[in-house]
Amino acid sequence: MSLLENLKNWFGFGSPGSRPTATLTTESPLPDKPVAAHPVPAPAGPPPAAQRREQLIRFIVSKLRIYQNEPDTVPVGIRLGILSSDPEEQALYKVALWASQPGKFQQELSRQLADNYITLPKNWLFDYTFFADELPASTYRDGNISLFIVDSSKPDDSPVLGKLITLVGQTRQPEYLLDPTRQTSFCIGRGQTTQTNSGRVRTNDIVIVNDDDPDFDAQRGKGNGAVSRAHASIRYDSVQRRYALLVDPGGLPASGNKTKIIHPDDTIERADIATLVYPLQSGDQIELGGEVLLLFELQ
């Protein structure tokens, strides 16, 4: 075909049969590319326990601002009340208060108070208590938190009631009220009475039922024999308003026995030194002889 005929065909002047035809090509679709999954961003801000800790410190500092640059009038202690019956919420507060590291929250609070020109006296008191029903009378309150200011000019001598509940083993009563207005020392042992090495007759207040007692239940009290007749005592300190466990001779390793305190954070404290005071906090479990378990709670 001549050049002239080709040009005619391209511009539509040639015969239909002689026109060049375009070849259509079909491209195969590209395979779908996998879409990269974008990670979900972590929530902004500090973790819940740190937020709760900051909330508590901010509340306390704000209420103590009246003591700025007043070293002669600052309180000798503060008591924090937390209204909560939810175990998960209580666990969150314990993390916030560094319950597994005694004294750490108090040190951090002292630092924050000092930054605000509030200096509390040496060995100032700090404690906290969970309440399930209602908060006690307090100096300040914010939601489910209460703050009681311990003023040296107005000492707080109201007693703190405690309670022992039997979890494992058989005791004369399923639970015992610890009332400091009646007595400040409570003896724990097997049987109602026993005679000590000095010859003095000891009367137990928290009675682990002995196997010769008419009320003894062989199933519930099968481990009672591991408890000494003079095993331990709980004492109330009216100044600190705290309870503590003391191990009597019968509950010591030297007598072939053992006593432990299992704290709410699952840490275990061995109470195996005579005359040493082991402070108790609400929720502690006292293990006697590896068999009997008593729950300590504040009222």
Side-chain angles (χ1 to χ4, degrees), residues 2 9 18 39-40 66 102 130 134 137 153 183 188 232 242 268 287 294:
S2 66
N9 289 333
S18 59
V40 178
I66 59 174
F130 289 102
E134 61 179 354
S153 64
Q183 62 189 88
I188 306 173
R242 291 178 175 175
I268 298 176
E287 185 184 89
L294 306 176

Side-chain angles (χ1 to χ4, degrees), residues 94 193 213 250:
K94 288 174 183 177
T193 59
D213 191 295

Side-chain angles (χ1 to χ4, degrees), residues 10 24 27 46 53 55 106 114 124-125 131 160 164 217-218 236 244 256 259 287 290:
W10 279 109
L24 297 176
E27 295 183 359
R53 183 182 303 121
Q55 172 195 359
Q106 188 172 2
W124 63 280
L125 170 71
F131 297 91
V160 177
L164 280 179
D217 184 310
Y236 178 74
T259 308
E287 185 184 89

Side-chain angles (χ1 to χ4, degrees), residues 108-161:
E108 175 62 19
L109 181 57
S110 289
R111 188 184 68 80
Q112 298 265 9
L113 289 170
D115 288 345
N116 286 270
Y117 307 101
I118 306 166
T119 304
L120 299 185
K122 185 179 180 181
N123 298 324
W124 63 280
L125 170 71
F126 172 77
D127 60 24
Y128 66 91
T129 306
F130 289 102
F131 297 91
D133 299 321
E134 61 179 354
L135 289 169
S138 57
T139 312
Y140 302 104
R141 180 168 176 173
D142 182 16
N144 68 322
I145 304 297
S146 68
L147 185 67
F148 184 87
I149 305 297
V150 183
D151 189 341
S152 59
S153 64
K154 299 176 182 179
D156 176 24
D157 56 1
S158 59
V160 177
L161 299 179

Side-chain angles (χ1 to χ4, degrees), residues 34-216:
V35 179
H38 296 287
V40 178
Q51 292 180 358
R52 198 65 57 95
R53 183 182 303 121
E54 182 181 350
Q55 172 195 359
L56 292 173
I57 291 177
R58 187 167 57 246
F59 168 59
I60 296 172
V61 171
S62 69
K63 299 308 179 186
L64 294 184
R65 288 191 189 280
I66 59 174
Y67 299 103
Q68 285 179 327
N69 296 317
E70 295 288 343
D72 296 330
T73 61
V74 292
V76 296
I78 57 178
R79 292 193 168 90
L80 200 64
I82 303 171
L83 181 63
S84 175
S85 58
D86 180 7
E88 291 187 5
E89 186 179 33
Q90 289 186 13
L92 177 62
Y93 273 108
K94 288 174 183 177
V95 174
L97 290 162
W98 284 307
S100 61
Q101 303 175 67
K104 184 173 180 179
F105 181 84
Q106 188 172 2
Q107 292 173 2
E108 175 62 19
L109 181 57
S110 289
R111 188 184 68 80
Q112 298 265 9
L113 289 170
D115 288 345
N116 286 270
Y117 307 101
I118 306 166
T119 304
L120 299 185
K122 185 179 180 181
N123 298 324
W124 63 280
L125 170 71
F126 172 77
D127 60 24
Y128 66 91
T129 306
F130 289 102
F131 297 91
D133 299 321
E134 61 179 354
L135 289 169
S138 57
T139 312
Y140 302 104
R141 180 168 176 173
D142 182 16
N144 68 322
I145 304 297
S146 68
L147 185 67
F148 184 87
I149 305 297
V150 183
D151 189 341
S152 59
S153 64
K154 299 176 182 179
D156 176 24
D157 56 1
S158 59
V160 177
L161 299 179
K163 182 168 59 175
L164 280 179
I165 303 170
T166 306
L167 299 179
V168 179
Q170 184 186 8
T171 52
R172 182 68 55 81
Q173 300 173 200
E175 62 180 61
Y176 289 86
L177 177 66
L178 308 179
D179 185 352
T181 62
R182 297 183 178 182
Q183 62 189 88
T184 56
S185 182
F186 307 86
C187 297
I188 306 173
R190 181 165 47 88
Q192 185 71 58
T193 59
T194 186
Q195 192 168 21
T196 63
N197 293 333
S198 65
R200 184 179 66 86
V201 175
R202 162 183 167 132
T203 301
N204 288 320
D205 303 290
I206 290 84
V207 179
I208 313 299
V209 179
N210 199 23
D211 58 5
D212 61 358
D213 191 295
D215 297 328
F216 179 73

Side-chain angles (χ1 to χ4, degrees), residues 232-234 243-247 258-272 276-288 293-294 296:
S233 301
I234 291 179
Y243 290 89
L245 179 73
L246 290 88
V247 185
K258 53 186 176 180
T259 308
K260 298 178 184 177
I261 301 174
I262 306 171
H263 297 298
D265 60 358
D266 289 332
T267 58
I268 298 176
E269 184 175 9
R270 298 182 183 276
D272 52 11
L276 190 63
V277 174
Y278 297 90
L280 293 172
Q281 57 179 303
S282 190
D284 279 346
Q285 295 182 10
I286 304 169
E287 185 184 89
L288 308 172
L293 202 60
L294 306 176
F296 170 77

